[in-house]
């Protein structure tokens, strides 16, 4: 059976793009890949189809009052890509969409083209659970709105209903779908690999700085305010917090700038996370919800211990006290306790 895959993330870019590239290459290795749709395919790949949202729509969003609403920005980015794929979709056997919010129109078109299987790669836990967790984060800090609005949530629920199969990436996600009433017969669990470039540093860093690292989107729902609250109470000038990523709202940018002014140990460093991972003392992933979370898995691959929340799907890979800890979601005091522990271990090693 030939598989057609689509995703609004560029091939290999970010967590969703990595997930997408894994699906594409797995199908290619099994000689079942028909073609794939994305805004930026793999270089010189004859099976990659470049799908772009029209410039008119991009300009419309750029100058619309809705550009200030993160929920609607996310909705339209997903919906317009979904419609663009539906408009050019070729006949096939199985359509696999990576990302539930961009599946509905493509699924509807695939039914018209008599696709035999509609499958969905869920990039989060069940969307109703995501809504609950996002609301907790927004209520706790109120810095920016959620990326998930009711329109996107309803559209995602429709895609769940249409899908013949839903692939999830962790037991955490799996259980959220079961609790929401999705039948087990519809669910499949897949394992996601870490890219081979994520390896420990060849030489040990001896500058004595205790480095706390986070990689990913700098948002309220990723728990960035929780991490800042914890780190700000960590003693010692020879410590630093490095946030590798970017923010998408004015409120969060102001919030981060205020923290940087308050505590000179905080740095924001967009770019490749690998050099930072290879120098980190501990990686913290304070998210309110992640179906899997590549970044802490990449940290483990680099030999860096991790502190993750109970709402992070990769938590099953954490061996308490050996390669990291799992802490209650939204609890800065629990994160601070673990940071103090790793800081103490770091200082002990530095004196040897």
């Amino acid at each position: 059976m030939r598989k057609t895959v689509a995703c609004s993330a560029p091939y290999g870019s970010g967590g969703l793009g990595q997930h997408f590239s894994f699906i594409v290459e797995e199908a290619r290795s099994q000689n079942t890949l028909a073609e794939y749709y994305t805004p930026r395919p793999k270089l010189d790949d004859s099976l990659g189809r470049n799908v772009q949202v029209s410039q008119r729509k991009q300009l419309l969003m750029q100058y619309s009052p809705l550009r200030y609403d993160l929920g609607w920005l996310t909705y339209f980015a997903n919906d317009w890509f979904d419609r663009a794929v539906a408009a050019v979709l070729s006949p096939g056997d199985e359509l696999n969409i990576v990302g539930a919010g961009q599946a509905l129109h493509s699924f509807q078109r695939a039914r018209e083209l008599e696709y035999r299987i509609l499958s969905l790669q869920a990039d989060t836990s069940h969307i109703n659970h995501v809504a609950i967790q996002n609301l907790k984060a927004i209520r706790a800090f109120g810095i920016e709105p959620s990326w998930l609005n009711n329109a996107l949530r309803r559209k995602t629920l429709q895609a769940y209903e249409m899908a013949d199969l839903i692939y999830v990436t962790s037991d955490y996600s799996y259980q959220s779908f079961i609790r929401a009433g999705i039948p087990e017969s519809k669910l499949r669990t897949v394992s996601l690999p870490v890219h081979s470039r994520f390896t420990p540093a060849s030489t040990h860093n001896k500058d004595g700085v205790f480095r706390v690292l986070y990689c990913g989107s700098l948002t309220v729902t990723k728990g960035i305010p929780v991490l800042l609250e914890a780190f700000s109470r960590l003693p010692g000038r020879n410590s630093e917090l490095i946030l590798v990523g970017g923010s998408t709202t004015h409120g969060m940018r102001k919030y981060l700038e205020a923290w940087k002014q308050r505590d000179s140990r905080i740095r924001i460093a967009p770019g490749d996370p690998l050099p930072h991972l290879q120098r980190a003392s501990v990686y913290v992933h304070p998210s309110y919800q992640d179906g899997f979370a590549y970044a802490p898995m990449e940290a483990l691959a680099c030999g860096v211990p991790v502190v993750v929340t109970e709402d992070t799907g990769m938590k099953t890979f954490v061996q308490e006290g050996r390669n990291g800890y799992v802490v209650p979601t939204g609890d800065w005091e629990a994160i601070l306790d673990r940071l103090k522990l790793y800081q103490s271990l770091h200082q002990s090693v530095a004196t040897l």
Side-chain angles (χ1 to χ4, degrees), residues 256-267:
L256 290 170
E257 189 58 37
W259 271 104
K260 286 173 61 182
Q261 294 294 326
R262 194 181 314 165
D263 191 336
S264 61
R265 302 175 302 165
I266 298 171
R267 290 177 49 209

Side-chain angles (χ1 to χ4, degrees), residues 130-345:
V130 175
I132 291 169
Q133 292 303 112
N134 283 7
L135 186 58
K136 289 179 181 178
I138 301 304
R139 284 178 172 173
F141 297 98
I143 300 164
E144 61 183 357
S146 172
W147 59 266
L148 175 63
N149 63 13
N150 278 329
L152 183 56
R153 186 181 65 84
R154 288 192 298 268
K155 185 187 177 193
T156 301
L157 291 173
Q158 289 178 277
Y160 290 164
E161 184 67 25
M162 285 195 71
D164 299 303
L165 296 173
I166 299 175
Y167 292 91
V168 297
T169 55
S170 65
D171 183 63
Y172 169 75
S173 285
Y174 185 93
Q175 294 302 325
S176 73
F177 278 86
I178 292 296
R179 289 194 301 271
I182 302 296
E184 290 188 52
S185 60
K186 202 170 187 173
L187 298 173
R188 302 289 187 274
T189 302
V190 296
S191 298
L192 297 179
V194 173
H195 196 283
S196 59
R197 76 190 189 98
F198 290 95
T199 58
S202 57
T203 58
H204 181 65
N205 183 36
K206 298 181 179 180
D207 63 3
V209 177
F210 177 65
R211 291 185 174 86
V212 181
L213 181 66
Y214 165 85
C215 305
S217 301
L218 307 183
T219 65
V220 172
T221 56
K222 290 293 185 180
I224 297 305
V226 182
L227 176 55
L228 290 168
E229 291 289 343
F231 180 80
S232 68
R233 293 166 172 80
L234 187 71
R237 301 308 305 169
N238 207 26
S239 299
E240 65 178 10
L241 170 63
I242 305 171
L243 304 174
V244 180
S247 52
T248 57
T249 65
H250 179 67
M252 178 54 77
R253 286 192 288 270
K254 284 184 59 178
Y255 180 79
L256 290 170
E257 189 58 37
W259 271 104
K260 286 173 61 182
Q261 294 294 326
R262 194 181 314 165
D263 191 336
S264 61
R265 302 175 302 165
I266 298 171
R267 290 177 49 209
I268 299 176
D272 185 0
L274 181 58
H276 299 287
L277 283 167
Q278 292 181 331
R279 301 183 71 200
S281 307
V282 60
Y283 178 91
V284 181
H285 202 77
S287 182
Y288 276 79
Q289 187 285 141
D290 262 305
F292 181 67
Y294 266 106
M297 287 296 293
E298 292 166 349
L300 291 180
C302 290
V304 179
V306 300
V307 178
V308 303
T309 66
E310 293 174 342
D311 287 282
T312 302
M314 61 72 59
K315 65 183 178 180
T316 55
F317 294 90
V318 176
Q319 302 170 28
E320 285 284 309
R322 297 186 64 183
N323 65 357
Y325 292 94
V326 179
V327 298
T329 305
D331 188 341
W332 65 260
E333 291 177 304
I335 293 176
L336 177 59
D337 286 344
R338 301 306 185 270
L339 290 182
K340 286 180 176 178
L341 173 61
Y342 281 116
Q343 184 184 52
S344 177
L345 291 172

